[in-house]
Amino acid sequence: MKKFIYTLALVFSLGISFNSAQAADKPAKNPTELTADQAVKLERIKTRVEEIRDMDKSNLTKAERKALRSELRELKGQARAISGGVYLSVGAIIIIILLLILIL
């Protein structure tokens, strides 16, 4: 059983290193370059977040605070979509966790 686990860990680690070796050969894209429209949208999002942060929230009702939280979540999602963030799939996260459990 130990041989099987070690072989499985070796296959996963080699697979990961093979993918990163392939990624090194590809020309690097610059995902941070934004169009003028995207830059304007991102700036509007930043100003709205700053307005919400500077707001006095002690006088707000529970429903208003909940609405602000949902608006902030929506703005965060929009900002991530515009800026092109890094996303991990569920399968990749599971594999990483399994490898960490096996190694430790």
Side-chain angles (χ1 to χ4, degrees), residues 42-82:
L42 194 59
E43 192 60 37
R44 264 193 251 141
I45 290 171
K46 285 181 183 178
T47 56
R48 180 62 184 147
V49 169
E50 289 174 3
E51 287 174 5
I52 292 173
R53 185 188 63 200
D54 295 338
M55 210 181 269
D56 183 25
K57 298 175 199 76
S58 62
N59 300 339
L60 299 178
T61 64
K62 188 174 183 177
E64 290 172 336
R65 285 193 304 260
K66 188 175 182 179
L68 277 178
R69 278 195 304 270
S70 65
E71 182 182 357
L72 281 173
R73 283 188 205 118
E74 182 181 324
L75 290 174
K76 185 178 179 181
Q78 289 175 1
R80 280 186 179 173
I82 290 173

Side-chain angles (χ1 to χ4, degrees), residues 17-28:
S17 65
F18 180 70
N19 287 338
S20 52
Q22 282 183 339
D25 294 339
K26 294 181 182 179

